[in-house]
Amino acid sequence: MSIFIREMKMPLTIRAFTVPDANGDYNIYINNDLSEEAKQKSLNHEKEHIENNDFLSSELARVIEMTRD
């Protein structure tokens, strides 16, 4: 498993998101308009989802997010 981190332009309402791919790797997309501190916090948040196998969970995303914040 590999983690690829990419910055891209997004609406400010989106800080970051992660997309698992068919190879079992994870692609983390971070909003490039965030401060460096906010980027790091968002990256850590997304990595927490990966470490906790949230992408394999049948739990609703909003329930998972409540436990990660």
Side-chain angles (χ1 to χ4, degrees), residues 9-11 13 15 32 48-49 52 59 61 66 68-69:
K9 184 114 177 111
M10 300 182 223
T13 55
R15 293 178 166 269
N32 64 357
E48 190 175 341
H49 284 301
N52 287 294
E59 197 69 60
M66 288 177 6
R68 298 289 171 252
D69 289 334

Side-chain angles (χ1 to χ4, degrees), residues 30-48:
I30 299 176
N31 190 327
N32 64 357
D33 289 332
L34 297 176
S35 69
E36 291 304 313
E37 182 180 342
K39 286 178 187 177
Q40 188 60 53
K41 184 176 179 182
S42 297
L43 177 59
N44 292 342
H45 177 91
E46 295 303 314
K47 284 182 174 180
E48 190 175 341

Side-chain angles (χ1 to χ4, degrees), residues 3-58:
I3 298 173
F4 301 99
I5 301 164
R6 299 175 171 87
E7 290 188 23
M8 62 184 282
K9 184 114 177 111
M10 300 182 223
L12 283 176
T13 55
I14 302 172
R15 293 178 166 269
F17 63 92
T18 300
V19 178
D21 65 25
N23 297 324
D25 298 322
Y26 292 91
N27 299 276
I28 299 176
Y29 297 89
I30 299 176
N31 190 327
N32 64 357
D33 289 332
L34 297 176
S35 69
E36 291 304 313
E37 182 180 342
K39 286 178 187 177
Q40 188 60 53
K41 184 176 179 182
S42 297
L43 177 59
N44 292 342
H45 177 91
E46 295 303 314
K47 284 182 174 180
E48 190 175 341
H49 284 301
I50 294 168
E51 291 166 3
N52 287 294
N53 293 312
D54 289 342
F55 297 96
L56 301 176
S57 175
S58 61

